[in-house]
Amino acid sequence: MCGLIFLSFGGENVADYAFRTLEDRQKIEKLWEDGRTPKEISETTGVSVHVIYTELTRGQDGTRLPDQRLRYSADVAQRRVQASLERRGKRTGQTDNMRAAGGDTARR
């Protein structure tokens, strides 16, 4: 049997560490544009306030809403997360061909 188990560490739900989908981010974007606070967005989406603040920072596109808050873009946030995932595991100074051939021989 395979299922999800949610454990609690330090008062935070482990589910908060899951990746957000584009749909999750679009919901956050809509709520933010409607003038909701991070706490209200947190309560609506079921994730911690910390996660919302992190997400709002990740998706800033440099423009402002009519109320002068920084605009959050779900598309910008999604592109940044995708770029971060693509960079994982890449070592600086090595090409893909070097890694495919066995990597740096000086470290063996």
Side-chain angles (χ1 to χ4, degrees), residues 45-104:
T45 58
V47 296
S48 72
V49 175
H50 175 75
V51 169
I52 298 302
Y53 275 110
T54 301
E55 192 61 34
L56 290 172
T57 301
R58 177 182 291 129
Q60 289 177 353
D61 67 1
T63 62
R64 294 198 176 263
L65 295 168
D67 63 3
Q68 297 304 307
R69 292 181 302 153
L70 289 169
R71 184 180 304 275
Y72 170 81
S73 169
D75 293 329
V76 168
Q78 188 71 23
R79 283 194 302 267
R80 286 183 178 156
V81 168
Q82 192 61 40
S84 174
L85 290 173
E86 290 171 3
R87 284 190 306 268
R88 286 186 185 184
K90 291 188 179 180
R91 296 181 186 158
T92 59
Q94 288 190 354
T95 64
D96 290 333
N97 292 339
M98 286 178 65
R99 274 194 300 278
D104 184 11

Side-chain angles (χ1 to χ4, degrees), residues 4-17:
L4 294 176
I5 298 174
F6 296 106
L7 303 174
S8 181
F9 293 99
E12 284 195 51
N13 197 342
V14 174
D16 281 352
Y17 297 106

